[in-house]
Amino acid sequence: MCGTDDCVVKCSSVPCANSENDPKDTSTIINLDHGDQTMYESYWRKKGNKCDITFNGDDSLSYFANVGNAIVDDHYTIVGTGSSQLMQAALYALSPTDQLEPISVVSATPFYSAYPEVTDFVRSGLHKWAGDARTFEKSKAYIEFITSPNNPDGVIREPVVNGDQGKLIYDLAYYWPQYTAITIPANHDVMLFTNSKCTGHAGSRIGWALVKDKEVVRKMIKFMEISTIGVSKEAQLRAAKILEVISDSCLDPNMENFFEYSQSLMTNRWKRLRQVSANELFVLQTYPLQYCLFTKDFCESHLAVEEEDCEKLLKEHKIHTRSGGRFGSDSRSVRINGDTSYFAGAEKKDDKVHVPDLGSLTSVYD
Amino acid sequence: MCGTDDCVVKCSSVPCANSENDPKDTSTIINLDHGDQTMYESYWRKKGNKCDITFNGDDSLSYFANVGNAIVDDHYTIVGTGSSQLMQAALYALSPTDQLEPISVVSATPFYSAYPEVTDFVRSGLHKWAGDARTFEKSKAYIEFITSPNNPDGVIREPVVNGDQGKLIYDLAYYWPQYTAITIPANHDVMLFTNSKCTGHAGSRIGWALVKDKEVVRKMIKFMEISTIGVSKEAQLRAAKILEVISDSCLDPNMENFFEYSQSLMTNRWKRLRQVSANELFVLQTYPLQYCLFTKDFCESHLAVEEEDCEKLLKEHKIHTRSGGRFGSDSRSVRINGDTSYFAGAEKKDDKVHVPDLGSLTSVYD
């Protein structure tokens, strides 16, 4: 019924920046606390009209399995308003309904800083945050978030509790070739992905879950229906188109491969960061080289950064980061956001970090 | 940083239909249980390129106060993924956090059938569904949903409990000139609106709240951040553009006024429904004529329909409706969805309702 080309809304595939703060007042602060997914902007600018789409109601988000980062054949796909909503949908679906006590939700430290509040913000009687998976008593029932590569530290992870009554949610937001080697196609009961980290289109709020069990799928869909009566169609269709273009870019030798582009961007940023870290304010984490099935080459993880100094010390140097305490870890480490290039020009002189005017820093998203 | 016109996504302003069921197998069933907001489709088709928009990150949903259905001056606007999410955000913000027991949430029967499950689906410790506002003990603390005009029965409503410890959420989804007379600009602490009912673009999942108290606003925004890290920008910008076009249509004498168009559509459908009701299977509710400040004329409510027969009897006649039981009312009445024209051709013969082939009925939305 839709799809006529009258009355069209045009939508650039360039990810949108937020503009909450005053863009004029950023000359001396480096905000590495949270980022905005604008780092792939120049890639999308170059795509020309490749992302043109006329909205039809019967399109769907179903292709794009070429990266080889997950098994999709025996899984259902559920689209969500970002992976945040899918985390809640998965918790809802995996929590037992016949128990008086809420089920414990755990993740090994350092964990994604949103898990505790996503689990507890409405004080659900279905599930409750129980902290570090490493100290959880394995004889009890639990749900474990396994973030791999991990946010904030980029480490490839396996389940930690390994109890008999565990249900596992794999958060694979960063399991893409620009961030880590794709060593094996992931094949788990519940896997979460998000456009934010894959394509950079965080403002679209599109995530997807690959789920094996039909009953879990049914409950997750029920959650989406009650919570937001589904997911914005504009956002879904735009995401589908953008994923299609990325998929094409991997197959068509005349197109610039998106993952090669974004991987080289990340490599370059880490290189510059290592140069800055030579001033001894930072100690950067190192990762083993691993063979990537997608790039057919050995590569290193390019996700997050660890420092021996704390959030407070860095703040004194006008560098905003997120303390390890937010991730259930200690305050000797901080997470810096990997999608910003603003750091590159900083210099340490006279025990201070001197920062050139780097334009607006206006993001609110993780 | 956004807004270049390369790599565009075009989006028709024609609301999208769902296509879950088999469109070929609908020759003998009339589904009035739930609807899809396709009834304004021909209006949007006629708009041509009036709804063209190039997505810029700094656009916002702030204008459109010309209908006079609400006071906006001393209110903040919060955008949500449909009004469903805003209901939860409002419950979250208005629930006390220093109490051991969850606060009671009530609404007078017949109430919107989603309130109980929106309140209770994750077994929140903040709030719990407590049923009919009319039987609630007024000395206790509570949150009351006041749906006006009411879904399902179209009645203009006032608070019912009127206790000292009440917090009120006004659900004004249907307070638009096509559904009811705008007798006064609504002016309450928390008011909810949705594009679904106003413009018909249910698939966009855009709603907005007008809220007076800054602390309530802060908590509602916190809810949106944890729940879905904000609202799809594509959907917000498209909704803003569509509301702008509607606003223009009210001001520009050369444009077809959207509310006059949609009001005449509703009037016509009710007329046809009254013709069918003459076969005595239905008894249609009547509403008083009221003076509308927007149309500057007397008009009648055109929202829902009541029947003396129950859901089961109508199902025997292959007419799907939603029983009054779902609204905390009794099963002698049913709600039929007001946005469908499929009913118009039905005829009662030999104690059966005979229905012509009316094409696909495929909606999932309320």
Side-chain angles (χ1 to χ4, degrees):
Chain A
M1 302 295 283
C2 302
T4 56
D5 61 0
D6 55 342
C7 203
V8 293
V9 175
K10 288 178 194 167
C11 169
S12 164
S13 69
V14 178
C16 296
N18 292 289
S19 48
E20 276 212 337
N21 307 321
D22 179 3
K24 287 169 193 156
D25 185 27
T26 57
S27 57
T28 54
I29 291 177
I30 306 179
N31 191 340
L32 303 174
D33 173 33
H34 49 250
D36 200 10
Q37 311 295 336
T38 55
M39 69 174 158
Y40 305 142
E41 188 170 319
S42 65
Y43 181 90
W44 293 114
R45 281 197 190 282
K46 285 186 284 183
K47 284 302 102 186
N49 59 4
K50 277 268 188 293
C51 289
D52 271 20
I53 179 173
T54 303
F55 276 9
N56 286 296
D58 55 354
D59 287 349
S60 65
L61 195 72
S62 63
Y63 34 71
F64 197 61
N66 309 22
V67 174
N69 60 343
I71 299 289
V72 296
D73 288 345
D74 55 348
H75 289 77
Y76 297 88
T77 305
I78 305 164
V79 179
T81 310
S83 59
S84 319
Q85 192 183 28
L86 290 166
M87 287 168 201
Q88 295 157 63
L91 289 177
Y92 175 79
L94 296 176
S95 297
T97 53
D98 57 353
Q99 301 292 312
L100 285 175
E101 287 296 307
I103 192 168
S104 295
V105 180
V106 297
S107 190
T109 58
F111 45 71
Y112 174 43
S113 55
Y115 290 150
E117 61 185 4
V118 157
T119 306
D120 284 347
F121 76 129
V122 291
R123 299 189 191 168
S124 173
L126 295 173
H127 44 69
K128 67 159 192 280
W129 180 249
D132 190 359
R134 288 196 189 82
T135 56
F136 186 75
E137 194 192 313
K138 67 188 284 181
S139 62
K140 292 187 193 167
Y142 65 97
I143 297 172
E144 181 176 350
F145 278 112
I146 299 141
T147 321
S148 185
N150 190 40
N151 174 355
D153 65 5
V155 170
I156 297 292
R157 286 190 155 186
E158 300 286 336
V160 166
V161 182
N162 296 312
D164 293 334
Q165 298 177 70
K167 289 170 182 171
L168 310 179
I169 301 172
Y170 280 81
D171 185 342
L172 304 181
Y174 292 97
Y175 197 46
W176 297 99
Q178 68 267 51
Y179 301 113
T180 193
I182 303 301
T183 54
I184 193 172
N187 187 9
H188 308 290
D189 286 355
V190 180
M191 300 185 277
L192 308 183
F193 294 91
T194 166
N195 243 29
S196 307
K197 310 307 176 193
C198 173
T199 77
H201 292 81
S204 301
R205 311 309 308 129
I206 288 292
W208 63 100
L210 298 175
V211 179
K212 268 187 190 164
D213 183 74
K214 213 169 175 173
E215 184 57 18
V216 174
V217 170
R218 193 190 62 73
K219 284 187 185 168
M220 286 181 75
I221 289 172
K222 190 183 170 200
F223 181 94
M224 311 306 286
E225 283 179 2
I226 301 174
S227 165
T228 54
I229 318 187
V231 177
S232 163
K233 288 187 183 179
E234 290 87 350
Q236 286 189 65
L237 292 168
R238 187 170 178 230
K241 186 69 195 177
I242 284 165
L243 292 177
E244 185 188 21
V245 171
I246 290 183
S247 187
D248 289 347
S249 86
C250 299
L251 299 168
D252 181 352
N254 297 319
M255 283 178 76
E256 185 177 14
N257 184 311
F258 173 75
F259 292 110
E260 285 171 16
Y261 168 88
S262 47
Q263 192 191 34
S264 110
L265 193 74
M266 292 300 287
T267 305
N268 189 41
R269 287 190 178 185
W270 267 73
K271 207 165 138 187
R272 290 189 289 171
L273 205 52
R274 288 199 195 284
Q275 285 164 1
V276 177
S277 78
N279 68 20
E280 293 172 9
L281 186 65
F282 295 87
V283 175
L284 292 177
Q285 197 165 325
T286 53
Y287 300 92
L289 279 178
Q290 286 195 290
Y291 188 76
C292 175
L293 298 173
F294 179 77
T295 60
K296 314 251 185 286
D297 201 358
F298 283 89
C299 57
E300 194 188 13
S301 277
H302 292 132
L303 193 62
V305 178
E306 204 169 297
E307 293 119 44
E308 285 194 345
D309 260 306
C310 68
E311 186 183 10
K312 193 181 160 201
L313 172 64
L314 288 166
K315 207 161 188 174
E316 283 167 12
H317 290 88
K318 305 208 173 183
I319 302 175
H320 290 189
T321 58
R322 195 175 295 187
S323 169
R326 292 279 302 278
F327 309 94
S329 189
D330 64 50
S331 57
R332 280 178 308 152
S333 64
V334 297
R335 171 193 188 263
I336 72 164
N337 197 291
D339 65 2
T340 171
S341 61
Y342 304 115
F343 193 74
E347 278 177 56
K348 192 190 178 194
K349 283 181 198 163
D350 315 321
D351 224 31
K352 293 248 165 99
V353 177
H354 294 252
V355 188
D357 188 332
L358 293 158
S360 68
L361 293 162
T362 56
S363 64
V364 294
Y365 292 132
D366 270 315
Chain B
M1 300 297 282
C2 302
T4 57
D5 60 0
D6 55 343
C7 204
V8 293
V9 175
K10 288 178 193 166
C11 169
S12 164
S13 68
V14 178
C16 296
N18 294 288
S19 49
E20 277 211 339
N21 306 323
D22 179 3
K24 287 170 194 156
D25 185 27
T26 56
S27 56
T28 54
I29 291 176
I30 306 179
N31 191 339
L32 303 173
D33 174 32
H34 49 251
D36 200 11
Q37 311 295 336
T38 55
M39 68 175 158
Y40 305 142
E41 189 170 318
S42 65
Y43 181 90
W44 293 113
R45 280 197 191 280
K46 284 186 284 182
K47 285 303 101 187
N49 60 4
K50 276 267 188 296
C51 289
D52 272 19
I53 180 173
T54 302
F55 275 10
N56 286 294
D58 56 353
D59 287 349
S60 64
L61 194 72
S62 63
Y63 33 73
F64 196 63
N66 309 22
V67 174
N69 59 344
I71 298 289
V72 296
D73 289 345
D74 55 349
H75 289 76
Y76 297 88
T77 305
I78 305 164
V79 179
T81 310
S83 59
S84 318
Q85 192 183 28
L86 291 166
M87 286 169 201
Q88 295 157 62
L91 288 177
Y92 175 80
L94 296 176
S95 296
T97 53
D98 57 353
Q99 301 293 311
L100 286 175
E101 288 296 307
I103 193 169
S104 295
V105 180
V106 297
S107 190
T109 58
F111 45 71
Y112 174 41
S113 55
Y115 291 150
E117 62 184 4
V118 157
T119 306
D120 284 347
F121 75 129
V122 291
R123 299 188 191 170
S124 173
L126 296 173
H127 43 71
K128 66 158 194 279
W129 181 249
D132 189 0
R134 288 195 189 83
T135 57
F136 186 75
E137 195 193 312
K138 66 188 284 179
S139 62
K140 291 188 192 166
Y142 66 96
I143 297 172
E144 181 177 350
F145 278 112
I146 300 140
T147 321
S148 185
N150 191 40
N151 174 355
D153 65 5
V155 170
I156 297 293
R157 286 189 156 187
E158 300 287 335
V160 165
V161 181
N162 295 312
D164 293 335
Q165 299 178 68
K167 289 170 181 171
L168 310 179
I169 301 172
Y170 280 80
D171 185 341
L172 304 181
Y174 291 97
Y175 197 47
W176 296 99
Q178 68 266 51
Y179 301 114
T180 193
I182 303 300
T183 53
I184 193 171
N187 187 10
H188 309 290
D189 287 355
V190 180
M191 300 185 277
L192 307 183
F193 293 91
T194 167
N195 244 29
S196 306
K197 309 307 176 193
C198 172
T199 77
H201 292 81
S204 301
R205 311 309 310 130
I206 290 292
W208 63 99
L210 297 175
V211 179
K212 269 187 189 163
D213 184 73
K214 214 170 175 171
E215 183 57 19
V216 174
V217 170
R218 193 190 62 73
K219 285 188 186 169
M220 285 182 75
I221 289 172
K222 191 182 169 201
F223 181 95
M224 311 306 287
E225 282 178 5
I226 301 174
S227 166
T228 54
I229 318 185
V231 178
S232 164
K233 287 187 183 178
E234 290 87 350
Q236 286 189 64
L237 291 168
R238 186 169 180 233
K241 186 70 194 175
I242 285 165
L243 292 176
E244 186 187 21
V245 171
I246 289 183
S247 188
D248 290 348
S249 85
C250 299
L251 300 167
D252 181 350
N254 297 318
M255 284 178 76
E256 185 177 14
N257 185 310
F258 172 75
F259 292 111
E260 285 171 16
Y261 167 88
S262 47
Q263 192 191 37
S264 110
L265 193 74
M266 292 299 288
T267 305
N268 187 41
R269 287 190 178 185
W270 268 72
K271 208 166 138 188
R272 289 189 290 171
L273 205 51
R274 288 199 194 284
Q275 285 164 359
V276 178
S277 78
N279 68 21
E280 292 172 9
L281 186 64
F282 294 87
V283 176
L284 292 177
Q285 196 165 324
T286 53
Y287 300 93
L289 278 178
Q290 287 195 291
Y291 188 76
C292 176
L293 298 172
F294 178 77
T295 59
K296 314 249 185 288
D297 201 357
F298 283 88
C299 56
E300 194 187 14
S301 278
H302 291 133
L303 195 63
V305 178
E306 203 169 297
E307 293 120 44
E308 285 194 344
D309 260 306
C310 69
E311 186 183 10
K312 194 181 161 203
L313 171 65
L314 288 165
K315 206 161 189 174
E316 282 166 14
H317 290 88
K318 304 208 171 181
I319 302 175
H320 290 188
T321 59
R322 196 176 294 187
S323 169
R326 291 280 301 278
F327 310 93
S329 188
D330 64 49
S331 57
R332 278 179 309 153
S333 63
V334 297
R335 172 196 190 261
I336 73 164
N337 198 290
D339 66 3
T340 172
S341 62
Y342 305 116
F343 192 75
E347 279 177 56
K348 191 190 179 194
K349 282 181 199 163
D350 314 322
D351 224 32
K352 292 250 165 95
V353 176
H354 293 252
V355 188
D357 187 332
L358 293 158
S360 68
L361 293 161
T362 56
S363 65
V364 294
Y365 293 131
D366 270 316

